[in-house]
Amino acid sequence: MKWLERQRNFIDFTLSSLSRRKGKNAALMLVYTLLVFVISSVIFFTQAIRREAEALLTSAPDMILQRTVAGRHDLIPLSYGEKIKTIRGVKSVQGRLWGYYYHPAAHSNYTVMAADDVTSGDDTAAVGSGVARTWQTAGDNTLYMKAFDGKVLGLRIAKVFSDTTDLVAADLIVVSRATFGRLFGIAGTLATDLAMEIGNQKESATIALKIVQLYPDTRPILREEILRTYAAIFDWRSGYIIVLLSGTALAFIIFAWDKATGLSAEEKIEIGVLKALGWDTSDVLLMKFWEGTVISLTSFLLGVIAGYLHVFFASAPLFAHALKGWAILYPAFKLTPAVNAFQIGTLFFFTVVPYAIITIIPAWRMAITEPDAAMRQI
Amino acid sequence: MITLANISKTFNAGRQNEFTAVKGINLSIAMNTITVLKGPSGSGKTTLLSIIGCMARPTAGRITVQEREITSLPERFLTEIRRNTFGFVFQNFNLIKGVTALENVMFPAFPAGLRHAELQERAMRLLEKLKIASKARQNVESLSGGEQQRTAIARALINEPAVIIADEPTAHLDTELSGEFMDTMAGLHAEGKTILIASHDPLMAESENTHRVIELRDGQIIGEH
């Protein structure tokens, strides 16, 4: 009980001490909070977006097979799939049709995909919310597209995908296989690539090897490789933001170091007076420890909360363009909150702990001198 | 009884600017008396008070406070003695700026771990006793010299010490306020406190309340009456 009262008294003193140097402490807390805010925003954002992408990609095919001609991706004959199906371990092979369409009126590039289950008919399309937002449909809810031969195709929008798939589907237009063929002039015997399902994931590498032996002009891509690529992209992007932040971090370090390591003449006398009045060295250190903790912990909590609100409530307007999406159109969607305790713990360890410690050092130097000397500033 | 045996204090020992502020002082101060250390600036009054009040260690000699030898005590015990036995009124009062008179009075008792409400009540009682309770919630900078002095006395009394040490308490006060200070000290003496004052103000040395005057010059006692 006595211990608790002591702590309460010291915190009381600390708070009044902080309020006495309002300007300096407020400026420090502002920079500190800003730094934590930006770093935590990057952490929250990349974590949430990566989780979202991973969730979407789990439904991706186990393996994709592309054909290459002169090192470039080319259309693949569906007949390849017939032979590949006979390889032990391959459960299914599906020819996929996809490509890009540039719409001059919207100045945007869209991803067009063919699907087997378009039940609304060949004259319809299912689109991502980005398409619905940007394509100027002139009020009749129809996409007018120019085919490979110059003819115009009118496709009624039968469905708009939900926001949850926006990350990768914002710019997506899904049509029937027949419509896709009409639009791009691709024969029914060809596909953009082949999507495969494999019974046992451990056999993927062996199956890929057999396919390459069978068709040397193909390139198999495993799902794990896709996931790895996306992870690398996000790591690279968040690293890029953090590098940009290093200037702010450095400014903060210099500011904090100056504030924390140098005691003003007034503070020195104050420590001398407190010691003369019966405060022990450990009491002074405890008070300074609380001072450092109040500043750093408050800034940390404010920064993390502001970062959370910025990312999950405001959709990270400050740097979304640098971090978000690989769809051509920037998706507008709300991220599902995803917090990595380890990363937040690391941020805490590298911001709060060093600050709390460096504030103690100068106070300790001052506190171990005799109160008489501290008061006379000898 | 506070006893000083052959006390010396040298600053910056071994350096070019070495100087000895107090030289081989032997002195006994009876409890429940008002003693004034008198002397010109640089005579060693403040250093002697600091040594008696456990704010500085002597370079040589021994000090006994109420039968307890304190010279060789570690810092932690010295702090405890300083907190429980001595109350200080500094030159310029050294009140902590930016906070209220009430908080200033409470600060010395913070490490003792008393209940906050109890401590506040005790501080308010002292401020009432010194007739400054109405200014308790005001920041100390807004107080007059006399009010600051009374706040400093209340602060010195918060831990209920046996000895009050005052260093040049009237240096910045007019005759009326100086007289008021001496009356307050006389009142505390009547309550059983021991008062030790360092001052070159003749009002202190010549006050009828003063029991003993010790004259210092160049770090040595040169007279007593």
Side-chain angles (χ1 to χ4, degrees):
Chain A
M1 200 59 196
K2 199 172 170 182
W3 182 88
L4 262 182
E5 283 300 330
R6 260 168 64 85
Q7 302 306 312
R8 198 200 142 177
N9 288 338
F10 288 130
I11 294 172
D12 206 55
F13 183 88
T14 301
L15 293 177
S16 89
S17 172
L18 289 173
S19 68
R20 272 181 290 143
R21 292 178 260 275
K22 267 191 220 95
K24 199 176 173 189
N25 289 318
L28 177 70
M29 277 177 72
L30 186 75
V31 181
Y32 203 148
T33 304
L34 194 70
L35 183 78
V36 175
F37 160 72
V38 181
I39 297 178
S40 60
S41 290
V42 173
I43 290 175
F44 284 140
F45 198 94
T46 46
Q47 190 62 28
I49 214 164
R50 191 181 298 160
R51 201 171 283 184
E52 194 133 340
E54 277 170 14
L56 281 169
L57 287 166
T58 45
S59 56
D62 296 329
M63 192 190 294
I64 293 167
L65 190 69
Q66 293 179 342
R67 179 169 173 247
T68 56
V69 173
R72 292 180 66 86
H73 180 199
D74 199 18
L75 296 173
I76 189 166
L78 288 170
S79 58
Y80 279 30
E82 298 307 318
K83 247 189 168 173
I84 289 167
K85 262 186 211 163
T86 61
I87 297 173
R88 192 184 290 269
V90 176
K91 271 173 78 179
S92 70
V93 181
Q94 169 90 44
R96 300 195 311 181
L97 283 168
W98 58 270
Y100 300 112
Y101 180 87
Y102 179 72
H103 183 41
H107 302 292
S108 300
N109 225 6
Y110 298 89
T111 304
V112 184
M113 270 186 83
D116 291 325
D117 54 355
V118 179
T119 51
S120 47
D122 286 345
D123 295 332
T124 63
V127 298
S129 63
V131 181
R133 200 172 63 240
T134 57
W135 197 294
Q136 287 143 25
T137 53
D140 62 353
N141 210 29
T142 304
L143 307 177
Y144 291 100
M145 302 173 90
K146 202 170 168 187
F148 74 104
D149 53 3
K151 286 180 184 160
V152 174
L153 280 181
L155 300 176
R156 186 174 52 81
I157 297 174
K159 181 185 172 188
V160 177
F161 295 120
S162 71
D163 285 352
T164 49
T165 58
D166 235 5
L167 183 64
V168 287
D171 69 338
L172 193 63
I173 300 170
V174 179
V175 295
S176 69
R177 285 182 175 272
T179 308
F180 193 93
R182 265 161 58 208
L183 191 60
F184 296 108
I186 294 174
T189 55
L190 295 171
T192 312
D193 53 25
L194 299 178
M196 278 176 263
E197 234 185 301
I198 287 165
N200 182 356
Q201 297 300 318
K202 287 179 184 165
E203 290 175 354
S204 301
T206 318
I207 292 169
L209 195 69
K210 284 184 181 169
I211 293 172
V212 174
Q213 280 167 353
L214 194 61
Y215 295 112
D217 60 343
T218 58
R219 177 176 62 187
I221 302 161
L222 303 181
R223 187 167 59 192
E224 287 70 42
E225 290 171 341
I226 301 173
L227 287 173
R228 259 205 313 275
T229 307
Y230 287 140
I233 286 171
F234 284 124
D235 285 344
W236 177 81
R237 286 183 178 190
S238 54
Y240 159 77
I241 292 280
I242 285 170
V243 167
L244 289 179
L245 273 179
S246 55
T248 320
L250 197 65
F252 166 72
I253 289 165
I254 294 167
F255 194 4
W257 185 258
D258 175 60
K259 163 74 176 68
T261 53
L263 289 177
S264 65
E266 194 190 331
E267 283 173 296
K268 284 180 188 171
I269 294 176
E270 205 173 287
I271 289 177
V273 171
L274 290 173
K275 283 205 74 182
L277 294 175
W279 284 42
D280 194 16
T281 303
S282 61
D283 299 331
V284 174
L285 294 184
L286 194 60
M287 181 265 284
K288 281 287 164 189
F289 167 77
W290 278 121
E291 197 176 303
T293 305
V294 166
I295 288 186
S296 53
L297 198 60
T298 310
S299 307
F300 177 80
L301 290 175
L302 285 177
V304 168
I305 291 168
Y308 190 92
L309 295 177
H310 170 234
V311 172
F312 299 119
F313 286 84
S315 296
L318 290 183
F319 45 70
H321 283 223
L323 284 171
K324 198 149 105 176
W326 55 87
I328 302 301
L329 300 175
Y330 286 117
F333 69 110
K334 289 240 187 297
L335 287 164
T336 315
V339 178
N340 183 327
F342 175 75
Q343 282 178 327
I344 296 300
T346 309
L347 183 63
F348 175 85
F349 189 79
F350 283 104
T351 52
V352 175
V353 178
Y355 187 81
I357 291 171
I358 56 172
T359 46
I360 288 178
I361 298 165
W364 170 75
R365 262 197 248 133
M366 202 59 220
I368 53 168
T369 54
E370 287 180 340
D372 174 64
M375 278 180 59
R376 295 178 196 229
Q377 294 178 67
I378 290 170
Chain B
M1 181 80 85
I2 299 169
T3 314
L4 285 80
N6 209 19
I7 290 294
S8 293
K9 177 73 178 177
T10 303
F11 290 99
N12 307 322
R15 290 190 220 158
Q16 271 190 333
N17 56 349
E18 173 182 314
F19 78 99
T20 302
V22 169
K23 297 167 189 162
I25 284 187
N26 290 295
L27 181 66
S28 291
I29 299 162
M31 298 306 275
N32 197 20
T33 55
I34 299 182
T35 305
V36 173
L37 301 178
K38 181 185 156 189
S41 184
S43 58
K45 302 185 300 287
T46 300
T47 306
L48 198 58
L49 277 192
S50 294
I51 291 170
I52 294 170
C54 305
M55 294 212 307
R57 286 177 191 275
T59 313
R62 296 160 76 84
I63 308 166
T64 313
V65 175
Q66 291 171 315
E67 318 301 324
R68 193 174 178 194
E69 206 279 309
I70 60 164
T71 331
S72 53
L73 286 178
E75 145 87 17
R76 198 156 54 87
F77 293 98
L78 276 186
T79 305
E80 224 174 279
I81 293 173
R82 197 159 61 230
R83 184 162 63 223
N84 299 326
T85 312
F86 299 101
F88 296 90
V89 179
F90 303 103
Q91 190 174 4
N92 300 329
F93 315 124
N94 273 339
L95 294 169
I96 292 175
K97 287 178 190 150
V99 291
T100 63
L102 179 67
E103 284 174 293
N104 260 286
V105 175
M106 289 164 71
F107 288 154
F110 273 4
L114 290 172
R115 242 172 20 92
H116 204 76
E118 192 184 316
L119 183 56
Q120 196 165 321
E121 211 180 294
R122 194 196 281 185
M124 276 310 289
R125 271 205 307 272
L126 284 169
L127 288 169
E128 271 162 27
K129 185 176 165 185
L130 289 154
K131 300 185 183 65
I132 195 185
S134 61
K135 304 286 172 84
R137 307 278 174 192
Q138 275 187 25
N139 275 8
V140 285
E141 305 93 287
S142 68
L143 302 180
S144 69
E147 288 164 345
Q148 287 192 13
Q149 185 202 57
R150 278 180 278 163
T151 307
I153 296 171
R155 183 176 69 176
L157 293 170
I158 190 75
N159 285 327
E160 298 168 346
V163 183
I164 301 291
I165 289 180
D167 183 20
E168 300 285 4
T170 59
H172 303 284
L173 300 181
D174 60 19
T175 310
E176 192 189 332
L177 286 173
S178 299
E180 214 174 84
F181 173 81
M182 210 51 200
D183 291 343
T184 310
M185 290 300 117
L188 291 173
H189 166 253
E191 289 173 19
K193 307 271 186 213
T194 304
I195 318 284
L196 248 167
I197 303 167
S199 175
H200 58 253
D201 181 356
L203 280 174
M204 298 288 103
E206 289 160 16
S207 166
E208 57 181 20
N209 296 313
T210 303
H211 301 116
R212 192 177 174 199
V213 177
I214 295 159
E215 219 171 326
L216 289 164
R217 185 174 279 272
D218 300 327
Q220 289 175 311
I221 296 174
I222 55 162
E224 190 181 335
H225 51 90

